Amino acid sequence: IYNDGTLFQFMDMNHIAYHAGGNFNTTSVGVEISNAYYPKYQSWYKKHGFGRWALQTKEDGAFVGWCGLKFNEQECVDIGFRIMQTFWNRGLATEACIASLKYGFEMLGLEEIIGRAMSENLASHRVLAKAGMKKWKKSQTAALGETMYFRIRRQDFLGHE
């Protein structure tokens, strides 16, 4: 999908080792993993009609990361995001999360959306909270280890717009 090193920079982010099951230290491995995930993401779109979105800057279309909704392994609609480190602290993750929540509630008619982050990933906790989500529970997951769960219900989100 990306063979110019962009994906490597993206996949070398702080917690990709937990999410994708490995610590990638070469561009070719990153491209290989990306190409393996692409059919999986396509099948999610076909099955559910939604999925993760690529994020780009408005100014020049530079790839920033991704954000969006998908069904997780527990069959809950889960919001997820990954932003390249060079774009952190600009509000982009929060903006993308709010847009994803709005799409989920207004366009898809969902009743609840959850978000998850590693318990120690306080920056992601702040993003989810700024998007209006509330802490819900802690649990162990295979992909993230000790995980903090957030959630928001349709009526709570639509009532705050």
Side-chain angles (χ1 to χ4, degrees):
I1 299 169
Y2 293 97
N3 58 12
D4 65 355
T6 303
L7 181 68
F8 170 67
Q9 294 169 11
F10 179 63
M11 293 194 75
D12 195 35
M13 292 172 26
N14 61 343
H15 54 280
I16 198 67
Y18 294 98
H19 179 70
N23 187 3
F24 308 112
N25 55 19
T26 67
T27 302
S28 62
V29 172
V31 171
E32 184 179 306
I33 295 295
S34 174
N35 289 337
Y37 275 133
Y38 184 68
K40 184 176 171 180
Y41 289 132
Q42 279 187 316
S43 71
W44 286 336
Y45 268 100
K46 288 178 184 174
K47 182 176 179 180
H48 302 292
F50 61 90
R52 309 295 201 201
W53 299 331
L55 304 177
Q56 299 176 300
T57 61
K58 292 176 185 175
E59 299 78 26
D60 61 7
F63 178 72
V64 171
W66 58 259
C67 183
L69 307 172
K70 76 173 185 84
F71 279 98
N72 67 19
E73 67 280 358
Q74 300 159 342
E75 291 301 313
C76 298
V77 177
D78 181 271
I79 190 166
F81 55 93
R82 301 284 185 274
I83 305 294
M84 291 177 63
Q85 190 170 1
T86 56
F87 293 99
W88 287 2
N89 299 312
R90 299 184 190 183
L92 299 175
T94 302
E95 179 183 353
C97 282
I98 291 169
S100 296
L101 292 171
K102 183 174 179 147
Y103 181 80
F105 292 127
E106 292 182 0
M107 303 302 290
L108 300 175
L110 300 173
E111 291 301 320
E112 180 178 81
I113 298 172
I114 70 161
R116 303 178 293 175
M118 292 184 304
S119 291
E120 67 269 14
N121 188 342
L122 301 181
S124 289
H125 295 194
R126 284 190 295 276
V127 168
L128 295 169
K130 286 180 186 177
M133 302 184 85
K134 304 290 184 217
K135 284 185 180 180
W136 173 31
K137 66 180 181 177
K138 266 189 188 177
S139 185
Q140 288 290 123
T141 65
L144 300 174
E146 186 177 285
T147 303
M148 179 61 67
Y149 282 73
F150 291 73
R151 71 177 168 189
I152 189 167
R153 294 193 169 101
R154 176 185 176 87
Q155 68 270 14
D156 297 328
F157 181 80
L158 296 178
H160 286 126
E161 283 194 300

